[in-house]
Amino acid sequence: MNGLGRHILAEIYDCNEEKLNDKDYIEKIMVESALKAGAEVREVAFHKFSPQGVSGVVIISESHLTIHTWPELHYAAVDVFTCGERVNPWDACNYMTEFLEAKNMTATEVKRGIFENPVSVKKVSNE
């Protein structure tokens, strides 16, 4: 890895609608996915929307995992950001995809904190 961390932006489609709308289930699989990836869970916060949908965050020592679900569209937007090389964010994404019973998942990995040549890094100001 070149940089401080890896950030996976996942689009998880064709999921089980009931599971996407179950706050306790979503919280459970998010925590489990962090642990399966080798992360250390610090804090957890989830919210159930009315009439549907769940949003949540799992704060890990290595950064965070987030989710927002649209049960009516069978869709979940997921971010997994990990710092260091010990935790593999793809393990967490794949675990969530499996347990949401998704038929499709697309994801992009973004390297975060890349400092190829620190001397050439400039601070941009809008002042």
Side-chain angles (χ1 to χ4, degrees):
M1 171 183 69
N2 293 327
L4 299 176
R6 300 164 65 191
H7 195 164
I8 308 297
L9 306 172
E11 309 288 327
I12 305 178
Y13 300 99
D14 302 318
C15 301
N16 180 307
E17 181 177 354
E18 289 179 12
K19 290 183 177 179
L20 287 177
N21 207 34
D22 183 336
K23 181 179 89 63
D24 293 335
Y25 183 80
I26 295 293
E27 182 174 331
K28 178 179 180 281
I29 66 159
M30 290 288 288
V31 169
E32 287 176 356
S33 67
L35 296 172
K36 293 284 185 190
E40 183 178 337
V41 174
R42 293 295 184 171
E43 294 186 43
V44 175
F46 283 81
H47 178 77
K48 170 80 167 70
F49 292 95
S50 179
Q52 58 205 4
V54 175
S55 284
V57 60
V58 176
I59 304 298
I60 57 177
S61 294
E62 300 80 8
S63 195
H64 69 268
L65 293 80
T66 64
I67 190 168
H68 186 79
T69 71
W70 285 263
E72 72 278 18
L73 300 175
H74 306 270
Y75 167 75
V78 170
D79 289 4
V80 180
F81 182 17
T82 62
C83 297
E85 296 187 27
R86 191 178 60 78
V87 177
N88 185 346
W90 286 104
D91 290 344
C93 284
N94 291 331
Y95 186 87
M96 282 182 258
T97 300
E98 177 183 349
F99 284 88
L100 291 174
E101 299 176 6
K103 294 184 178 82
N104 296 295
M105 187 265 280
T106 60
T108 302
E109 179 173 342
V110 178
K111 304 286 190 215
R112 305 297 303 266
I114 298 174
F115 300 101
E116 298 293 335
N117 182 357
V119 175
S120 67
V121 174
K122 296 180 182 177
K123 183 176 181 180
V124 176
S125 174
N126 291 332
E127 295 177 14

